[in-house]
Amino acid sequence: MPSVLPLGDPAPADGLLPPQVLDGVDSRRFGLYVHIPFCAVRCGYCDFNTYTATELGGGASQDAYASTAISEVEFAVQAMDASGLPRRPLSTVFFGGGTPTLLPAEDLARILTAAVGHWGLEDGAEVTTEANPDSVTPESLQLLAEAGFTRISFGMQSAVPHVLKVLDRTHTPSRVPMVVQWARDAGLAVSLDLIYGTPGESMADWQTSLETALSYEPDHISAYALIVEEGTKLAAQIRRGEVPGIDDDDHAAKYELADQLISAAGLDWYEVSNWSRTPEQACRHNLAYWRGDDWWGIGPGAHSHMGGVRWWNVKHPTAYAGRLGSGASPAAGRETLDAATREVERIMLEARLGTGLHVDALDKVGRHAVAGLIADGLVEPAAAFQGRLVLTIKGRLLADAVVRRILPD
Amino acid sequence: MSPMARTAPVPAATDPALIRNFCIIAHIDHGKSTLADRMLQYTGVVKSRDMKAQYLDRMDIERERGITIKSQAVRMPWELDGISYALNMIDTPGHVDFTYEVSRSLAACEGAVLLVDAAQGIEAQTLANLYLAMENNLNIIPVLNKIDLPAAQPEKYAAELANLIGGDPEDVLRVSGKTGVGVEALLDKIVRDLPAPVGDPDGPARAMIFDSVYDTYRGVVTYVRVVDGMLHPRERIQMMSTRATHELLEIGVSSPEPTPTKGLGVGEVGYLITGVKDVRQSKVGDTVTNMAKPASESLAGYADAKPMVFSGLYPLDGTDYPVLRDALEKLMLNDAALVYEPETSAALGFGFRVGFLGLLHLEITRERLEREYNLDLISTAPNVEYEVTLEDKRVVHVTNPSEYPTGKIAEVREPMVSATILAPNEFVGAIMELCQSRRGVMGGMDYLSEDRVEIRYRLPLAEIVFDFFDILKSKTRGYGSLDWKADGDQVADLVKVDIMLQGEQVDAFSAITHREKAYAYGVMMTSKLRELIPRQQFEVPIQAAIGSRIIARESIRAIRKDVLAKCYGGDITRKRKLLEKQKEGKKRMKMVGRVEVPQEAFIAALTTDESKDKAKK
Ligand SMILES: Nc1nc2c(ncn2[C@@H]2O[C@H](COP(=O)(O)OP(=O)(O)OP(=O)(O)O)[C@@H](O)[C@H]2O)c(=O)[nH]1
Ligand SMILES: C[S@@+](CC[C@H](N)C(=O)[O-])C[C@H]1O[C@@H](n2cnc3c(N)ncnc32)[C@H](O)[C@@H]1O
Ligand code: SF4
Ligand SMILES: [Mg+2]
């Protein structure tokens, strides 16, 4: 979760949802996001809502966290029931962070078990956790798999020591193949997160990272362009000239290399920054975000969505625990989207997907823009003629610009 | 030394023999308004506790910039040898753009105080204003000001001044407007040396309009100097040029606040209020007479102020166009020198082409429009007016490069000026070099004193009106000063340079330049635009062309990445808000063909170094 929360309307303390969330509920899947707001150290580039033990004044809140999270699960069950929503089995669960695996595997298992106990789990459901290579052992992975986790996403970021150093990452590159193997042994599908365009990273460095990651034969890869977020240590270092800045052209070239090498290794892109070995191995939880399904986000700063209503929790773990302790909703704000805004979001999100956006979802402005997009080489002509807007690689690099061109004025 | 007058002569009942009308003229910043302050104070019309520096500079913009833009007339009493006199003092602006104000003021006076900064000596507008005063047959009182300054060289400059106007250096008064030294003696001298106005008190009334100002509360306030006869409140007056008649609602004098009187008689200076709402109905230079007993011959007027530079003014926000139109209309009520007409630009939308007396006038007008009417404006690169004769003998006057005719051109004429430059003689070489590079032809050179020269050149207006003065200043280490006035026109080898973005001509960036300077303009503008226009999804060539011939080119590389590629989890709201913001930003872009050009780029590209703030000449 990025650390700045949006401005929205106040959220009711009882967490009750308006009746509109019932419309079409049967056609939407239900997922759960669990935010674990702890990290061993804060990486210099990261502005996610996460805290080190020192920042929180000791490990106490980490110890109690599983119980607090479970109390939100219970709050969610109640609020959804009271709002008239049917109990739907979970289709995807995603533990993200922070570093979920900083908590004992038992804690993660407890939270998962509590949720599944209330809502149940679909057959073949996807249950993912993020992890830092440092924070797992063969035993912990085994335990997670037994508790029902099916997938793990490791923050590898780079295979090159000097790049990892600029990123403030604590793991050594040689740890990654080990943890991947352990995860495999435990029966977990494996995804690797990479970051490109780090200050000082050469094209050869990036190629090394890609080739190394691919040599571990992951089921899934996410490759994110490094964003220099305001207020981070990295931003300050760049401002002071201690590390060089980042460059969009460099990012573009590295994205192209990534797409080329990852595709050559047999993985296909299904979202601007994500590739999977088979369509089934795409991260279904993330797809649910893009497709406007329902999910409840547990944890401080977590975002939720249900039938056009979005809300987000208070950011700080202490405030969060306090709210739940007093029986109130931990939500800090919410917004109810009108039809037009939902349409904007749909266009914005689906345009980024490999399956593309249906052209008939566009208004006149959007449909007019399509010819221009084809002419500019931003969308696949063949798919466009069949009524779907699918971005070319050039289009993926300019996805935000494409979306601006097809959105209603 | 005279005491403050115990009684003041009453307006409408003052013997002309007791009246002295004078203006203070000088180069910019030589201290006219400060000297006026002391006079206001010593004559008692402004109490010491109400005094503030440059009391008569009342407009915000005058106070902020520390310069006088409008002349102000004030009636003050002064006693000499037991007799009370009425002095009408007019403080004038010094900047060359407002010379027009000075010449109007001179016509209301019999004398002029020629003020010279004792640390600077004679400068270009000292000469220009002196000659104007002499043309008007005024008596000149030479005065050195700022003698309190440690850098003052009164001996040297008194000699220079005496040499210029004839007479003895001993007769040059020395004052300090700041400390007040010598100011009372100057007032005495004004009474003693300047002639009293003469006129026919029993003849039909004739009064010369020397200023006309629109006031929100009072309507148009017309400033006059009565030459013959008498004007009274409530009688009907007639404007001699238009024969229009008005009722005199109020008549009075400024001292310095408006004070209604029983009338104005021969030689008096004051104001009239008739209830008209448009300064053009009360035209500067016109003669006011009495309808019941009209004069047969009007007084000699003056030529209208002629706009010298033109620029397009466009509201940043197109919906502000009506506001701009109303604002210009109002401003024009107050500024007879302002001319404008609507124009449209493909790039900038609806706006106006406005004519100005010079760049300072442009800048001040723009600033007042922005400030007083809460507008955000783009002003296009300023231009002079060209006269283009086509082969079919049609003549077109071009004030906007985009209106430059495309047909076969027989001849182009450009406006010329005669310029006077004053500087220490060591800079003569540098000045000549500069003028030559600006296509100038030397008219002559005179030594004003042993180390100061006056150099006269005839130059194209377009070459001097923009950046010339700044360059002159730097080439003369700040000592050079410049004055110029219109001086006919000449045939010139001029071309229109167009700027194209992706093949689309951008009218706002076209320029008319001398053929030899076209290339430099093309290179300057294309490289400037390359810096200013953000990268687009495609490569954007920027070209400068004369007709179909490309003379300079640059290109903006296509942007390759415009996507947020980071895992934001479920925070869709943030993503959407970002998008909405970008979309908003896109709305503020001006489209040139397919190229999105931010407003800021337009403004920056049009803000030539020349048009930067240089109020202080
Ligand atoms: N030391 C000193 N400074 C003076 C004197 N008179 C004027 N100044 C300063 O000179 C500057 C210009 O004075 P102004 O009275 O505004 O000059 P001006 O001639 O009215 O200027 P414009 O109306 O713009 O042409 C101001 O900073 C004054 O304070 C003086 O007698 N002695
Ligand atoms: C919130 S992190 C959670 C996983 C784990 N804590 C880790 O860092 O490996 C998820 C991913 O977001 C990406 N990420 C975080 N900050 C980023 C930034 N400033 N720019 C680009 N990607 C970033 C990293 O690739 C990271 O693996
Ligand atoms: S480990 Fe992950 S979540 Fe934690 S600070 Fe680093 S990037 Fe951010
Ligand atoms: Mg002044």
Side-chain angles (χ1 to χ4, degrees):
Chain A
M1 301 295 104
S3 59
V4 185
L5 291 177
L7 288 171
D9 309 326
D14 56 14
L16 272 188
L17 293 160
Q20 75 165 84
V21 301
L22 301 177
D23 296 344
V25 64
D26 299 329
S27 63
R28 297 192 307 265
R29 298 212 157 122
F30 177 45
L32 190 71
Y33 172 75
V34 182
H35 188 66
I36 312 290
F38 309 115
C39 287
V41 290
R42 170 167 306 254
C43 310
Y45 60 91
C46 179
D47 75 337
F48 283 78
N49 189 31
T50 184
Y51 306 82
T52 60
T54 0
E55 279 170 357
L56 290 176
S61 60
Q62 286 189 28
D63 298 341
Y65 188 73
S67 307
T68 313
I70 290 169
S71 69
E72 192 186 356
V73 169
E74 280 155 6
F75 180 87
V77 172
Q78 256 182 22
M80 284 169 70
D81 286 355
S83 306
L85 283 159
R87 288 212 187 169
R88 288 167 288 172
L90 291 161
S91 151
T92 62
V93 181
F94 196 100
F95 282 62
T99 308
T101 46
L102 205 63
L103 291 189
E106 290 83 355
D107 280 4
L108 303 184
R110 259 176 68 206
I111 301 170
L112 178 61
T113 309
V116 173
H118 290 293
W119 287 301
L121 203 61
E122 265 183 11
D123 269 354
E126 173 194 279
V127 182
T128 309
T129 182
E130 288 181 337
N132 286 29
D134 274 343
S135 62
V136 295
T137 61
E139 296 72 32
S140 68
L141 292 169
Q142 197 63 47
L143 225 154
L144 290 175
E146 280 162 18
F149 282 85
T150 64
R151 195 171 170 275
I152 189 158
S153 164
F154 286 115
M156 170 176 168
Q157 319 308 5
S158 170
V160 180
H162 76 88
V163 175
L164 288 170
K165 183 141 189 289
V166 173
L167 291 176
D168 276 342
R169 300 297 292 194
T170 50
H171 68 266
T172 51
S174 59
R175 178 122 184 127
V176 178
M178 281 162 62
V179 299
V180 168
Q181 192 52 53
W182 297 339
R184 285 252 162 71
D185 293 344
L188 296 171
V190 172
S191 174
L192 297 175
D193 277 2
L194 294 173
I195 288 183
Y196 58 88
T198 300
E201 180 190 60
S202 68
M203 196 55 95
D205 290 338
W206 176 230
Q207 181 161 351
T208 303
S209 292
L210 282 166
E211 284 168 349
T212 309
L214 289 166
S215 74
Y216 307 146
E217 300 184 347
D219 305 297
H220 183 280
I221 286 189
S222 302
Y224 300 115
L226 180 71
I227 296 178
V228 179
E229 300 283 1
E230 242 174 84
T232 58
K233 176 180 145 197
L234 180 67
Q237 289 172 316
I238 291 176
R239 200 176 53 243
R240 292 195 295 260
E242 290 163 15
V243 297
I246 55 165
D247 174 56
D248 278 353
D249 286 355
D250 173 61
H251 279 179
K254 285 178 176 162
Y255 181 81
E256 283 165 359
L257 182 67
D259 190 60
Q260 184 195 328
L261 296 183
I262 299 172
S263 307
L267 288 81
D268 289 321
W269 80 279
Y270 67 93
E271 195 276 336
V272 171
S273 308
N274 292 284
W275 291 259
S276 69
R277 199 165 288 284
T278 66
E280 294 71 40
Q281 282 165 321
C283 177
R284 275 153 41 206
H285 186 80
N286 273 332
L287 283 174
Y289 291 160
W290 307 130
R291 292 199 172 132
D293 280 331
D294 288 353
W295 75 89
W296 192 291
I298 302 286
H303 285 250
S304 302
H305 171 253
M306 216 138 294
V309 180
R310 298 194 180 282
W311 69 94
W312 45 89
N313 287 347
V314 292
K315 257 185 66 184
H316 199 275
T318 314
Y320 169 75
R323 287 277 191 103
L324 284 164
S326 70
S329 158
R334 74 150 67 155
E335 61 172 359
T336 304
L337 308 174
D338 56 22
T341 313
R342 288 178 80 168
E343 215 26 49
V344 167
E345 287 194 349
R346 202 162 80 77
I347 291 170
M348 164 182 103
L349 298 169
E350 288 190 359
R352 298 170 70 102
L353 298 180
T355 46
L357 172 74
H358 277 283
V359 175
D360 50 1
L362 300 175
D363 73 344
K364 237 172 81 192
V365 175
R367 284 198 299 272
H368 271 125
V370 173
L373 295 175
I374 296 175
D376 289 343
L378 300 173
V379 302
E380 301 284 0
F385 288 124
Q386 288 160 18
R388 274 184 316 124
L389 278 194
V390 177
L391 299 175
T392 58
I393 183 155
K394 187 174 166 196
R396 281 184 258 155
L397 277 165
L398 296 171
D400 289 353
V402 170
V403 169
R404 289 197 297 275
R405 280 169 69 171
I406 58 181
L407 273 185
D409 275 327
Chain B
M1 203 100 30
S2 291
M4 194 182 284
R6 282 158 300 191
T7 56
V10 180
T14 307
D15 180 353
L18 300 180
I19 296 175
R20 299 289 181 274
N21 296 320
F22 68 97
C23 49
I24 310 176
I25 55 176
H27 191 78
I28 190 165
D29 267 351
H30 280 208
K32 298 173 288 295
S33 302
T34 307
L35 174 63
D37 287 347
R38 294 294 81 73
M39 292 182 168
L40 294 175
Q41 206 177 343
Y42 294 170
T43 58
V45 299
V46 175
K47 301 275 163 293
S48 286
R49 66 178 147 81
D50 297 330
M51 199 63 217
K52 56 182 182 214
Q54 288 91 36
Y55 189 90
L56 298 176
D57 290 347
R58 297 185 174 199
M59 281 192 270
D60 285 349
I61 205 154
E62 291 182 310
R63 301 207 64 79
E64 269 164 35
R65 293 180 177 238
I67 55 166
T68 304
I69 294 168
K70 280 215 73 84
S71 292
Q72 294 286 342
V74 184
R75 179 176 172 128
M76 313 176 294
W78 189 247
E79 198 175 299
L80 179 67
D81 303 333
I83 304 170
S84 278
Y85 293 84
L87 309 187
N88 286 305
M89 177 260 288
I90 306 181
D91 178 25
T92 66
H95 191 280
V96 60
D97 277 16
F98 306 114
T99 301
Y100 183 64
E101 286 278 321
V102 181
S103 55
R104 301 190 318 203
S105 309
L106 294 172
C109 304
E110 280 76 38
V113 170
L114 178 66
L115 203 61
V116 171
D117 186 327
Q120 304 291 331
I122 292 169
E123 298 197 71
Q125 273 89 47
T126 317
L127 281 190
N129 290 330
L130 168 66
Y131 296 147
L132 272 180
M134 287 172 22
E135 280 166 27
N136 280 269
N137 295 318
L138 298 198
N139 278 44
I140 313 283
I141 301 181
V143 177
L144 285 177
N145 187 30
K146 307 197 189 181
I147 53 159
D148 59 293
L149 284 177
Q153 295 176 272
E155 315 299 321
K156 176 176 173 189
Y157 294 128
E160 209 177 81
L161 205 45
N163 181 37
L164 180 68
I165 55 179
D168 196 323
E170 299 308 306
D171 294 337
V172 176
L173 277 190
R174 299 172 186 194
V175 307
S176 164
K178 187 173 172 188
T179 65
V181 168
V183 174
E184 288 163 323
L186 171 58
L187 287 165
D188 288 353
K189 192 174 170 77
I190 287 167
V191 171
R192 243 184 236 120
D193 290 7
L194 294 187
V198 283
D200 175 2
D202 305 317
R206 289 199 300 171
M208 157 73 80
I209 302 180
F210 66 91
D211 202 359
S212 194
V213 172
Y214 180 77
D215 179 301
T216 335
Y217 303 107
R218 304 193 292 165
V220 172
V221 182
T222 302
Y223 291 87
V224 295
R225 145 79 195 257
V226 177
V227 174
D228 295 322
M230 181 98 171
L231 292 171
H232 299 97
R234 281 177 304 281
E235 58 189 26
R236 279 199 89 74
I237 53 161
Q238 186 167 47
M239 302 297 167
M240 290 192 72
S241 70
T242 59
R243 299 275 148 210
T245 65
H246 305 287
E247 184 179 339
L248 254 189
L249 302 179
E250 185 182 322
I251 186 165
V253 296
S254 313
S255 64
E257 306 316 321
T259 315
T261 63
K262 295 210 169 76
L264 289 174
V266 168
E268 289 190 300
V269 173
Y271 67 87
L272 313 176
I273 292 175
T274 59
V276 305
K277 290 268 177 276
D278 186 341
V279 282
R280 281 160 292 192
Q281 289 174 279
S282 210
K283 234 172 121 270
V284 169
D286 204 348
T287 304
V288 177
T289 189
N290 189 318
M291 195 183 120
K293 186 183 160 193
S296 51
E297 232 172 280
S298 54
L299 301 162
Y302 353 69
D304 285 342
K306 201 171 158 300
M308 302 298 263
V309 299
F310 298 81
S311 163
L313 287 185
Y314 291 84
L316 263 189
D317 177 347
T319 60
D320 277 344
Y321 176 77
V323 184
L324 175 58
R325 189 189 47 218
D326 293 351
L328 276 169
E329 230 160 62
K330 290 222 183 73
L331 220 54
M332 186 159 153
L333 295 182
N334 228 333
D335 187 347
L338 199 66
V339 297
Y340 65 93
E341 56 183 44
E343 78 173 8
T344 11
S345 151
L348 303 175
F350 291 103
F352 294 91
R353 176 112 318 225
V354 188
F356 302 94
L357 300 170
L359 281 196
L360 179 66
H361 187 216
L362 185 166
E363 224 178 90
I364 279 169
T365 305
R366 186 190 149 153
E367 205 175 307
R368 289 187 62 185
L369 286 168
E370 295 199 315
R371 183 199 306 232
E372 292 167 29
Y373 301 90
N374 201 13
L375 287 162
D376 281 321
L377 300 175
I378 299 186
S379 53
T380 62
N383 256 97
V384 303
E385 177 172 3
Y386 298 99
E387 184 186 288
V388 182
T389 308
L390 297 162
E391 286 195 340
D392 63 9
K393 298 279 181 281
R394 246 181 341 121
V395 176
V396 191
H397 289 266
V398 178
T399 58
N400 177 351
S402 71
E403 285 164 5
Y404 201 74
T406 42
K408 284 243 181 295
I409 289 167
E411 181 183 274
V412 187
R413 302 188 75 83
E414 63 176 336
M416 299 295 289
V417 299
S418 54
T420 306
I421 296 167
L422 260 61
N425 56 359
E426 54 184 300
F427 300 115
V428 168
I431 292 168
M432 286 174 62
E433 216 172 67
L434 172 63
C435 291
Q436 239 92 59
S437 78
R438 297 306 180 98
R439 300 186 281 134
V441 176
M442 186 145 150
M445 186 164 105
D446 285 312
Y447 274 80
L448 291 176
S449 58
E450 54 187 44
D451 62 352
R452 195 198 292 267
V453 287
E454 172 194 344
I455 310 171
R456 291 180 299 277
Y457 264 90
R458 187 163 191 258
L459 290 140
L461 173 63
E463 295 283 357
I464 90 159
V465 79
F466 306 123
D467 60 348
F468 185 88
F469 182 72
D470 290 339
I471 297 175
L472 175 71
K473 274 277 173 202
S474 73
K475 286 201 189 273
T476 58
R477 274 192 270 115
Y479 288 113
S481 61
L482 165 75
D483 188 77
W484 53 266
K485 57 174 195 253
D487 185 16
D489 59 8
Q490 75 170 16
V491 175
D493 187 9
L494 299 169
V495 291
K496 178 188 173 208
V497 182
D498 290 318
I499 302 292
M500 289 169 299
L501 284 184
Q502 255 219 338
E504 292 265 342
Q505 189 187 315
V506 191
D507 55 5
F509 296 145
S510 295
I512 297 168
T513 69
H514 191 257
R515 188 178 298 279
E516 276 164 22
K517 289 172 182 169
Y519 174 72
Y521 176 80
V523 168
M524 182 276 292
M525 202 44 139
T526 51
S527 56
K528 203 162 170 179
L529 288 174
R530 195 190 59 159
E531 296 305 315
L532 290 170
I533 297 174
R535 294 166 67 183
Q536 315 272 316
Q537 287 158 45
F538 37 84
E539 179 171 315
V540 179
I542 311 172
Q543 296 162 309
I546 300 174
S548 58
R549 191 164 57 86
I550 306 295
I551 55 169
R553 75 174 80 228
E554 288 278 0
S555 97
I556 306 171
R557 280 180 309 137
I559 188 170
R560 292 185 58 199
K561 181 189 165 221
D562 183 355
V563 60
L564 203 56
K566 179 183 162 185
C567 148
Y568 274 123
D571 189 358
I572 310 294
T573 307
R574 159 153 145 158
K575 221 179 145 58
R576 193 190 72 240
K577 297 234 152 120
L578 204 70
L579 184 76
E580 281 163 358
K581 214 172 115 195
Q582 291 172 338
K583 191 90 184 161
E584 252 333 281
K586 190 173 156 181
K587 279 200 197 128
R588 288 198 317 270
M589 300 274 185
K590 299 266 183 196
M591 297 301 292
V592 174
R594 298 185 58 209
V595 184
E596 293 174 353
V597 184
Q599 301 273 24
E600 301 76 53
F602 263 105
I603 300 168
L606 293 172
T607 316
T608 44
D609 303 332
E610 299 104 64
S611 61
K612 282 218 194 91
D613 189 348
K614 45 172 185 175
K616 282 280 177 185
K617 280 210 173 174

